[in-house]
Each structure stands twice: as structure tokens, then as C-alpha cells.
Amino acid sequence: MGKLSVRDKLSILSDAAKYDASCASSGSAKRDSRKGGLGSTEGMGICHAYAPDGRCISLLKILLTNFCIYDCSYCINRSSSNTKRARFTIAEVVDLTIEFYKRNYIEGLFLSSGVIRSPDDTMGEMVEIARRLRNDHGFKGYIHLKTIPECDPALLEQAGQYADRLSINVELPTDSGVQRLAPEKKPQTIRRAMGTVRGAIEEKSEPTLRTRKKPRFAPAGQSTQMIVGADPAPDAVILKSSARLYSSYHLKRVYYSAFSPIPDSSAALPLMKPPLMREHRLYQADWLMRFYGFDNEEILAGSPDGMLDLAIDPKLAWALRNRHLFPVDMNRADKETLLRVPGLGAKSVMKILQVRRYRTLRLEDIGALVQSIEKIRPFITAVGWSPGGLTEMENLRARLSPEPQQLALF
Amino acid sequence: MTEDAGTASEYFTISLKTETDFEGWRKAARALAMSGVPASSVTFLTPSSSSQSLFAGASEPLPNASGDITFDIAKSFVQKAQTATHHSDADRYDFLYHLLCRLLAEPNLMKIASDPDIRRLEAMGKSIRRDAHKMHAFVRFRKTGDMDARDDEAHYVAWFEPDHFIVEREAGFFTRRFAQMNWSILTPKGSIHWDRETLTAGPPARRSDAPSDDATEELWRTYFSNIFNPARLKVKAMQSEMPKKYWKNMPEAALIPDMIAGAENRAKAMVAAMPSTPPPTHAAIRDRHWRSAHMAETDNAPPPPANDLATLRKQAEACRLCPLHEPATQTVFGEGPADARLVFVGEQPGDKEDIAGQPFIGPAGQLFDSTLEEAGIDRSSVYVTNAVKHFKFQPRGKFRLHQKPNGDEVQTCRWWLGQELQLIDPELTVALGATAAQSLLGRSMAVTKERGQILESEGGRQVFITVHPSFLLRIPDERHKADERARFRDDMIAVRELMAA
């Protein structure tokens, strides 16, 4: 193998990172460069570009190396894959990050890696990259480190000093899935690492007796990713798993990554296009749990197969299975109830609550406050509006579903 | 502001100094509104609109406010109006004056989000915030001159085309971010320059004023084309966030058409590629790292009995005897000296114990510790453990609600507790609560009835019965709570005396 240029390495090691779903750069501590250094974080993440796959590019998302001693069937970098391998030096990653940042291409670095030699060696190099960015270059931008769960907890401790966010992938929604597709990974080890990070975040956020400045630890919290569609776990199992992860480790996000076919695929996996709509519905269901007061079990309660409906969004599907709770009176219902009306988002609900203190709401008023009144009408009453039998109508689902697409003949 | 006010027939044309002259508008609007001038009698002109206007020229003198009228205007209006002055809508100042007049009559208007005027104001703000956000995102600096120059000498220049008059407004974002660099942002609506100390605003610029290339762009384009997954083509999603109008000034966007065109064939090739034979390195890696690991798989049967606590603890880490191992973080095993004379058994670990991997460290554990101290029992001389070694819970948002382990789970986990007690062989075992008593005695019983008693287990162990300390934490009534705490302390004193006897 000849010597690779930085550009060659960048093409290999960004290509290898493209299956990772997360790219968020929001919610960290505020920092800026007025007293030296480079960069800022101001709370809101910034997407600097979008790729034709619809995903945002906020961070330089690369692997330190795609050599890996693990053999996870869903991963292009597994040891049995014939993919082209490359490895950045520490200085190369630091330089790329700084030069990209100065031109305003990125918000910072998302660094992941295959595991070479040992988890500690690899994690040690990742921590060193973050340390150099922060200490040698005064870098104030965002740093997300994908943690290797098998590494020494002391390295986690250091990683949290430099990184804004740490993430540890649970990989698959069930332990049996991990055993089957990622046989060298141990689900307990992954959970223990997430527990260590939660513990460190809590410890560092406790008020200190003296007013000394507290050492920072992953101020943007921790997140995780699970691959969807590589194993047979139904959506109900996935949501249950997410609910446990949110409650156990206080995660900022669970990312769902639709299993994507990979070149040189393992025989253990389905060869098909990624189930993108399923991924989308899972994100919607995840929002229902985090922002709309839904319990993971009720989202799919009464669904025959434990799968989210691909044709309609999960809140509408839930409402159609729970018609006895509708219609909701827009002038009287409390916030929790309003949040459960299909088509009403959290922002619309806030506006409705505020406006109705001064005005009694008619259907037209509601129409002015929401994206589309069509979806909402069958589920609400307002002054001068009652859905009559609409809520109970047999074909309500069909009326509210998007037009079916004509299938291609060839 | 009635029709018969003296000024109603007069017409005012106010020329503002700049496109974003909020203070000029504010001063004029205040004077006009206090004199009761209706919105239909006022026109505001900005430099760009006055060049197209027949009324170009000096402003009319403002009316003198009659008497001592003052007014309070919602703070949110002032702030939102200021934002709206950055909008490119030529009519914006007239609209804001119209809104001001309405606000004087309807003080709650700002809170009526369904009102058409309020919706227009909100839409203007949203459009400006979006434009600002896109500027933060899509400005692309190019380094001019020597590529190796240090940042205090180098100059970075960007060309950007905003929809609204936001360039100066957004300067702060770039000065905070790139404080130690010299840079300029040039736009058709004005330019800003930063020399690492001061910000200067300049006239509108042309695209040709900005540099056309930077060697680093080739690396950026390499990144952009490779981070894209052709199996997930979603062109509409991309364009809704990055509309085509921005593409011409983004170096990477020129690649997009080819990326889209080639995506389907690339994705098909990915699916069609047959799994190939693993490279020779794979076998070597297996031998070096995983030969032993694959052997250590635990199955769903208890391991052979261990000869010491350390081995037993290691075995318990991999326990999968009941389904509780999957949601829990880790096995929380007992802790304390292997030759302890006294063993305490609780129910199961809680949230804190589950994260730390240690028993009795949460609120109930702290209460337990302080009670032992009050009763004169040395905490470091006793062994504490739980009937069930994994935390059972129900998720509730960011919290985990403790769930009582069921009979099967208690029964299954008795295997570990039995091994622990056999290896330690204590003189007395204290059952904290019903679950512990059930596990130790092999039958369910009423703790309140048997409390303070010493019962004998099937295996002939002496078991002292008392409550679980978490019971004390759940008592809402303070007096009752204090009574129960005293009773629990008395139980511990009784235990100490039993051990001394």
C-alpha cells in the first residue's frame, strides 16, 4: 500500500463515517474567542451544508481510522470486510478541523474510530486530538467524541473534560441482537460505560462548596445510536429500549440509523434499501415520548404487530385507535390533552393557550395558528365547529392519509 | 386618534437615514402617534425606497405632541419591531406604524397570535432569523494571499447574498467566533470588516470583489462528496434546508448534480456486491483478540459454585438467569468483609446503585448508614447485599420508577444470595423488608407482624426481621416518620446487642 495523501485519507475516512446518524452541535456551554483562541458555541447548532441524502453537515464527521479488530456484521469497517483502510495521524485531524473551522465550513469535530490494537490505545489517541484542539489551539468550537465502551473509565473522565458531547452506541435495540451481529461487544459493558458518563456528568454538575470554577464535563450531555432494520426487533421493542435508555442515562438523544446496505456486505444481513420511512416514524415516536408526554407503551398499544404505521404519523395513528378521547374542546382542554391532538405541535399549543386567555377560539382562529387545519378538524371542537360524526367515521384514516402512489409497472 | 383630531387631514412623509434606522422611525412614530396621526396619513421612506418615490426629499416637520399624552407599549413590540426593520419589505415602516396605532387601542394585541397583523410581524421576524441563520451557516471564507500566513497576518474574505438587511446585525456572531482573525464579509446589501479589534461597516460590494478560490476548498469538496450516502437519496429534504439560491456561492454545491445523478447506480452496486472472502488479516485478528472471548459466553444456567467471594462476584457480572439483566446497567453484588459475622439483606439496587455498581449508596443506603452509626454498629465490619442483584424499574421520562421484583425473580436470584451466605457463613442475617425476608426464609410473610423476631431459615440460619430503610423515606407525616426512624434504630440496637451476647 503506497502512502496516502491527506485527501485520500479524508475520502476514505469520511466515507466510512457516513453511516453515523448523529451530527448535532447544539446545547453546549457558551464560549467565544474574544479572549483568544478560535471559535464559539452559542447554544444553537448550525448546519453548514446539506448532502443530497437530506442530512445536515454540521461537524467534520470522520473516523480516526477504519482499521478495526471487531467484526460487527452491519459495519463496513468490520475486520472481515475488504474495504480500503486508512489512518489519520493526530496532527492531520487537528489541522483539518482548524482549517475547515476558520473557513466557516463546520461547527467542530465529530470523531469516531475503528478499534486498533486495543480500546485504550484508540481512545487515548482520540482524547489526545481533543486535548490538542482545546489546549494547544484554544479551540472553542464543538467536539463530539464517539466513545469506545471497552476503554478504561479514566479515559472517559478525560474525554469529558475536552468534549462537548460523548456518545456510546448501543448498536442494536436488544442484547440478543448485539450477541448475534456484534459478537465481540458486550451489552453490559456498553451500559456500564453509559452509566459512568451519567455519573460523571452528575458529579460535575453538583454545586461545589467553594465557588471555585467547576471542571467541565461533556456540557452537551451524552447520546447513543441504534441501528434499525438489521435485526428483526419490532418498533415497540425499539421504543421500549429507548425509553429505558433515556431514563437510565439521561441521554440527550437516541439516534435511529436505518440499516444501510454496505458494500461488501456480510451474509448475515438483509440486502435492501434502508427503511427510511421507518426511521422517520421512529424519530416522530421518540418526540412523542420526549416532548408530548407519551409513555413508550401507549404509542403502539392496540397496534396488531407492534410496528409504527408507515402511511401516517404515530400521533395520528394513536388518535385513530383512541377515538373515544376525541373531539377535544380547544377552548377548555388542558395542555397535556392539546398536545395529543394530531396536527398540533408544541408551539401551536403554546399559542392556543395564550390566545384563548383573550379570545374565544373559532375554527378560523385555530387555522391561523397551525400548519394545516385539515388534519386537526375531525379531532376538535371550537366555537361554531363540531366534527359531528367525522371523528367516528370508518374511512377517516383514508381521508387523512396521503394519496397512495401509483406503483411502477416495470 | 380620532377622525376629528386637528391633524387628521395633514399627510406626513418621513425619510429615514438608513435601511435599518429603527431609532429614526421610533422617534417619528412616537411623535406622530402622540398627536393622533392615523396610519393612513403617514409614509416612511428608506434610502432605497425614496429613490423610487415621487415624494423624495426632506422630511416633513413632525407634529408637536398635544399636551401630556404618554404611552406604554409592550416590550415585545419594541423588540420585534426593531427586528422587522431589517426586513427587505419596502412597506415595513408603514406597517409598523399601523401596528403601533392598533396597539394603542388594543393593549393585548401582541398576545393574539391569530391576528393577521401579528402573524405578519411574526412571519417577518421568522424570515429574518432564517436569513441570519443561513448567513451564519453558508458564509464561506477564503484565505487570501499566502496560504501559510499566520492568522494575525492573513485575511479571510467571504461573499454572501442575504435576503434582508442583516449584515451589520449579524456581525457580532462572526466577531465572537473569529475574534483572532482578520476578515471581511461582502454582500450586495453592505459589507463588514474586522481587524481583530474593531468592526467597520462598508458600502455594498460586488461578487468580483471577493477572492475566487482557496486551496482548502478541494479538501472540503472531498469531504462533502464522501459523507453522502447514495442509498439514502432525499433531494427534497436537502433543498428545503439549502435552497438552490445559495448554491452558487457555496464551493461544494457544484458537486450536487453529479452526486444525485450517480446515486442510484452506486446504491445498486452496493446492494449487488456479493459478500467477499474476508482478507487474511481477519483470521489473524480473530486469533490475537477473540479466541478466548468467544468461549466465555455465559448461558442461562447457574455457574459451578465458587470457592470465594471474588470469583462469585465475577460470575454474577455475567448473570442472565432472569430477564432483569437486560434493562439494568449492571449486576450490583454484595459488599463487605468476606468473614463478616453480620449480613444485611435488602430488596434490590435502586437508580444510584445501578449506575455506580455498589449496594446501599442511594438515599435509603445513606439512611441505613447513619442509623447503623447511631446504633453503634461499625458499617465496615458488616456485609450488605440484596435479595435481587439487578435493578427493576419502569421508565418515566428522565426517571426510573422502582418496581418490586416478582416471586420468580426473587426465587431465581436466591441462588446468588445462597452462595454469598454459604461463603461468608455469618452468625446473624438481617432481613430488611419483605422481599429480603421472603428470599431468606423461602416463604412470604408480614414484616410488620414478625418485626424484631429471629426466625430460622430452612438452612438453619438465624434471620432477624425488620423493615427496609426506603419504607422510612416514603412516610409523608413528619411525626410518624420520626417515630418509625426511632423504631428502626431500636431494631439496630437490638441487633448489636444480639451480636454482643
Side-chain angles (χ1 to χ4, degrees), chain A residues 391-406:
Chain A
T391 317
E392 297 300 327
M393 237 167 76
E394 281 285 328
N395 65 349
L396 184 56
R397 182 179 184 281
R399 284 176 63 133
L400 295 171
S401 307
E403 290 283 307
Q405 280 179 348
Q406 177 81 40

Side-chain angles (χ1 to χ4, degrees), chain B residues 5-8 10-12 14 27-37 60-71 97:
Chain B
T7 51
E10 273 182 85
Y11 197 92
F12 295 90
I14 314 293
K27 206 173 138 224
R30 203 179 155 81
L32 292 161
M34 283 167 91
S35 303
V37 179
E60 254 95 323
L62 293 168
N64 285 321
S66 50
D68 48 30
I69 310 167
T70 57
F71 56 74
Y97 184 67

Side-chain angles (χ1 to χ4, degrees), chain B residues 449-462:
Chain B
K449 270 192 203 153
E450 312 278 352
R451 182 173 188 172
Q453 305 288 314
I454 295 175
L455 306 177
E456 197 172 273
S457 74
E458 294 160 21
R461 296 200 178 281
Q462 304 291 300

Side-chain angles (χ1 to χ4, degrees), chain A residues 26-29 31 134 160-165 201 216-222 252:
Chain A
S26 50
S28 194
R31 302 185 293 263
R134 291 281 189 242
Q161 286 174 36
Y162 306 118
D164 291 278
R165 173 170 287 186
I201 291 172
R216 42 181 257 145
F217 193 92
Q222 67 167 326
K252 284 287 191 297

Side-chain angles (χ1 to χ4, degrees), chain A residues 164-185:
Chain A
D164 291 278
R165 173 170 287 186
L166 298 177
S167 61
I168 300 165
N169 287 355
V170 293
E171 312 290 351
L172 293 155
T174 62
D175 282 10
S176 57
V178 177
Q179 270 160 42
R180 198 164 66 81
L181 298 178
E184 295 91 6
K185 297 216 160 163

Side-chain angles (χ1 to χ4, degrees), chain B residues 199-454:
Chain B
L199 186 82
T200 326
R206 280 170 316 193
R207 193 180 183 177
S208 56
D209 298 335
S212 59
D213 199 13
D214 175 331
T216 304
E217 278 177 8
E218 200 43 46
L219 284 171
W220 174 237
R221 281 192 285 264
T222 300
Y223 176 65
F224 184 74
S225 56
N226 282 291
I227 199 68
F228 156 63
N229 185 348
R232 302 179 53 113
L233 199 62
K234 273 187 179 175
V235 179
K236 255 205 236 155
M238 167 184 69
Q239 285 195 21
S240 75
E241 297 295 341
M242 194 171 74
K244 273 192 168 167
K245 66 178 178 184
Y246 294 109
W247 292 13
K248 62 179 187 292
N249 295 321
M250 296 170 72
E252 66 274 26
L255 301 168
I256 293 173
D258 282 348
M259 286 162 77
I260 295 173
E264 199 177 328
N265 282 336
R266 277 183 68 195
K268 272 187 189 151
M270 278 160 85
V271 173
M274 291 298 284
S276 53
T277 319
T281 46
H282 175 60
I285 288 170
R286 299 228 97 170
D287 287 350
R288 187 161 356 119
H289 295 279
W290 305 117
R291 200 185 320 191
S292 56
H294 284 273
M295 316 270 289
E297 290 289 302
T298 36
D299 49 284
N300 296 352
N307 290 324
D308 59 89
L309 270 183
T311 311
L312 188 67
R313 163 188 279 272
K314 194 91 198 133
Q315 288 174 339
E317 277 175 19
C319 177
R320 288 190 216 149
L321 295 179
C322 81
L324 294 185
H325 71 87
E326 183 156 356
T329 300
Q330 55 193 319
T331 306
V332 180
F333 202 68
E335 236 179 38
D339 58 353
R341 294 168 57 219
L342 179 58
V343 169
F344 289 88
V345 182
E347 185 194 68
Q348 63 163 348
D351 176 76
K352 288 263 187 295
E353 288 83 2
D354 172 79
I355 294 299
Q358 287 177 277
F360 283 83
I361 58 159
Q366 286 165 20
L367 179 59
F368 174 70
D369 278 2
S370 60
T371 312
L372 282 198
E373 200 181 323
E374 287 167 32
I377 298 176
D378 179 6
R379 171 73 163 77
S380 66
S381 72
V382 305
Y383 186 90
V384 291
T385 189
N386 282 303
V388 171
K389 314 287 189 218
H390 280 119
F391 179 33
K392 184 180 184 183
F393 63 93
Q394 184 69 31
R396 276 284 175 282
K398 288 222 158 193
F399 301 96
R400 300 191 280 185
L401 299 185
H402 164 274
Q403 271 190 316
K404 203 173 149 57
N406 67 31
D408 280 352
E409 288 146 3
V410 175
Q411 182 58 33
T412 306
C413 219
R414 276 184 87 191
W415 191 87
W416 294 109
L417 182 59
Q419 295 286 304
E420 274 175 300
L421 291 173
Q422 202 169 329
L423 290 170
I424 299 167
D425 195 21
E427 289 162 37
L428 185 65
T429 308
V430 179
L432 301 166
T435 304
Q438 184 190 352
S439 176
L440 287 164
L441 300 166
R443 61 183 169 87
S444 58
M445 50 157 317
V447 170
T448 39
K449 270 192 203 153
E450 312 278 352
R451 182 173 188 172
Q453 305 288 314
I454 295 175

Side-chain angles (χ1 to χ4, degrees), chain B residues 113-124:
Chain B
S114 54
D115 182 275
D117 283 339
I118 299 300
R119 287 173 70 196
R120 183 176 170 193
L121 182 68
E122 291 295 338
M124 289 170 92

Side-chain angles (χ1 to χ4, degrees), chain B residues 35-105:
Chain B
S35 303
V37 179
S40 56
S41 304
V42 184
T43 298
F44 287 94
L45 294 176
T46 63
S48 67
S49 60
S50 67
S51 64
Q52 294 159 21
S53 166
L54 297 172
F55 309 106
S59 287
E60 254 95 323
L62 293 168
N64 285 321
S66 50
D68 48 30
I69 310 167
T70 57
F71 56 74
D72 286 325
I73 285 295
K75 232 186 196 160
S76 63
F77 172 74
V78 179
Q79 182 231 320
K80 283 174 182 177
Q82 180 164 27
T83 301
T85 60
H86 295 270
H87 203 278
S88 54
D89 190 339
D91 190 30
R92 63 195 179 280
Y93 288 101
D94 297 342
F95 166 67
L96 290 174
Y97 184 67
H98 158 75
L99 199 53
L100 176 68
C101 293
R102 277 196 68 196
L103 260 171
L104 292 172

